[in-house]
């Protein structure tokens, strides 16, 4: 019987969840973390604590990295120059596509292979059936380690370019942060008017169910069709002015709707007043 084994480096909330998922599935798990105490709970459950990064790398062919960013990745990899060759590094650390590509080259120069991953779920989602991770990098390495990677999440393989997974992840984060802050701004406006977040929740859920709009607009964006047959920037700007004034009247910071209004006004100034809000993609690309 093959012993299933893996190393996990980085025991923040995400790395903890990953190491725990491997233990749950009967893997031999070696862990290392800059602050060693964070491994205590996992060690109590049977994980092996590596005393050095080098020992953590030497313990297994597959090394999962779950760190804050690639600055942390290099801070760790540079501690194990002699132990990288021959390893596959599943780098599930978020950062920019360029940094992911650089790290893949950096590792290749030292005889290691990087699989880049962008995890699409929070730590409690690790090991659950619908969880997915964007992966890119050498398909052969992903296939070799498919079983171990699938302990964590499903695999959404995007291609050989090691930057692709990071790119998809960042596009998703762009939508996530800006969309979610829109939700928070609306809830601040509700609260400032004595309406609780929970009271407004059913309305928020309906308003933020963008699926219809996303599916309607995506083919038009691809086709460069910004026809203003269902909406236009002039109408949108008038609506945003009402939002801004309502926020200001309630003493709520208006910088978010003001920034969106500014974008709409730039679109109008560029001649898109009667075009759909999808014409903003042209303004955004400059
Ligand atoms: P954390 O920022 O909490 O992880 C921190 C880990 O990085 C810790 O192990 C920390 O060590 C280590 N670290 C940071 N800087 C250094 C350094 N200079 N040298 C050595 N180690 C360092 O992140 P999470 O655990 O929440 O997430 C890990 C990755 O997963 C991130 O890239 C994140 O973007 C991504 N992700 C996270 C999600 C989430 O909801 N948490 C969701 C999807 C992706 P120490 O314990 O010593 O501080």
């Amino acid at each position: 019987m093959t012993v299933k084994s893996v190393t996990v480096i980085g025991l923040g909330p995400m790395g903890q969840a990953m190491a725990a998922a491997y233990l749950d599935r009967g893997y031999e798990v070696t862990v290392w973390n800059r602050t060693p105490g964070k491994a205590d709970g996992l060690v109590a459950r049977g994980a092996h604590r590596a005393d050095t990064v080098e020992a953590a790398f030497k313990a297994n062919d597959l090394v999962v990295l779950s760190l804050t960013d690639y600055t942390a990745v290099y801070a760790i990899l540079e501690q194990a120059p002699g132990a990288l060759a021959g390893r596959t590094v599943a780098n599930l650390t978020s950062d920019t596509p360029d940094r992911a590509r650089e790290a893949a080259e950096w590792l290749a120069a030292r005889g290691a292979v990087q699989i880049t991953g962008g995890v699409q779920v929070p730590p409690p989602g690790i090991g659950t059936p619908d969880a997915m991770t964007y992966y890119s990098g050498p398909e052969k390495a992903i296939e070799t380690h498919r079983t171990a990677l699938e302990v964590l999440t499903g695999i959404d393989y995007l291609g050989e370019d090691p930057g692709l997974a990071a790119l998809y992840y960042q596009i998703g984060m762009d939508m996530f942060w800006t969309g979610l802050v829109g939700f928070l701004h609306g809830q601040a406006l509700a609260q400032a008017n004595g309406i609780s977040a929970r009271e407004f929740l059913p309305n928020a859920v309906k308003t933020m169910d963008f699926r219809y709009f996303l599916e309607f607009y995506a083919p038009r964006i691809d086709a460069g069709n910004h026809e203003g047959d269902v909406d236009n920037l002039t109408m949108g700007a008038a609506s945003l002015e009402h939002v801004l004034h309502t926020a200001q009247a309630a003493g709520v910071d208006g910088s978010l709707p003001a920034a969106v209004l500014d974008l709409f006004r730039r679109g109008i100034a560029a001649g898109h007043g009667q075009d759909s809000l999808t014409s903003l993609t042209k303004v955004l690309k400059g």
Side-chain angles (χ1 to χ4, degrees):
M1 195 186 85
T2 334
V3 178
K4 299 179 294 181
S5 69
V6 66
T7 289
V8 178
I9 293 183
L11 301 175
M14 187 55 91
Q16 294 266 351
M18 290 175 170
Y22 281 121
L23 288 171
D24 289 345
R25 295 283 285 273
Y27 275 66
E28 292 272 335
V29 183
T30 297
V31 291
W32 184 90
N33 194 61
R34 177 180 60 176
T35 308
K38 287 194 188 168
D40 291 353
L42 295 160
V43 170
R45 289 194 51 201
H48 307 291
R49 189 198 312 265
D51 290 332
T52 61
V53 176
E54 188 164 17
F57 266 85
K58 283 185 172 164
N60 287 296
D61 292 340
L62 178 63
V63 178
V64 174
L65 298 185
S66 176
L67 299 160
T68 306
D69 54 25
Y70 277 48
T71 303
V73 168
Y74 288 113
I76 286 169
L77 294 180
E78 282 166 357
Q79 293 178 44
L84 302 176
R87 313 285 160 210
T88 299
V89 177
N91 194 350
L92 308 186
T93 302
S94 312
D95 212 317
T96 64
D98 285 346
R99 293 199 92 192
R101 292 182 186 113
E102 278 164 20
E105 280 181 26
W106 191 96
L107 279 161
R110 287 153 184 84
V113 172
Q114 174 174 281
I115 297 170
T116 315
V119 180
Q120 296 173 49
V121 290
I126 296 299
T128 62
D130 294 333
M132 290 301 284
T133 295
Y134 295 125
Y135 279 105
S136 68
E139 190 170 11
K140 188 163 164 270
I142 288 175
E143 287 312 318
T144 304
H145 296 288
R146 174 172 282 278
T147 308
L149 296 174
E150 283 181 340
V151 168
L152 305 177
T153 67
I155 294 174
D156 186 354
Y157 179 65
L158 299 167
E160 296 277 329
D161 170 5
L164 259 186
L167 177 62
Y168 270 61
Y169 181 83
Q170 296 308 341
I171 294 170
M173 285 294 102
D174 181 351
M175 295 174 178
F176 178 82
W177 290 122
T178 55
L180 204 60
V181 173
F183 165 74
L184 297 177
H185 192 273
Q187 288 293 24
L189 181 54
Q191 279 190 327
N193 284 280
I195 303 164
S196 75
R198 196 183 276 208
E199 210 177 333
F200 198 78
L201 180 62
N203 306 291
V205 168
K206 271 190 219 151
T207 303
M208 298 208 77
D209 180 5
F210 289 129
R211 189 183 182 117
Y212 169 81
F213 295 100
L214 307 188
E215 292 179 349
F216 177 76
Y217 286 130
R220 286 181 167 217
I221 293 169
D222 279 344
N225 171 11
H226 304 300
E227 193 184 341
D229 54 341
V230 292
D231 70 273
N232 65 63
L233 288 189
T234 304
M235 174 276 282
S239 169
L240 278 158
E241 279 177 20
H242 305 154
V243 173
L244 182 58
H245 292 150
T246 307
Q248 285 167 339
V252 171
D253 185 312
S255 54
L256 183 63
V260 182
L261 176 58
D262 175 65
L263 184 61
F264 273 60
R265 284 184 178 149
R266 284 192 282 136
I268 293 167
H272 296 299
Q274 294 309 308
D275 292 341
S276 165
L277 63 88
T278 57
S279 61
L280 292 177
T281 53
K282 291 174 78 172
V283 179
L284 289 165
K285 287 186 292 176

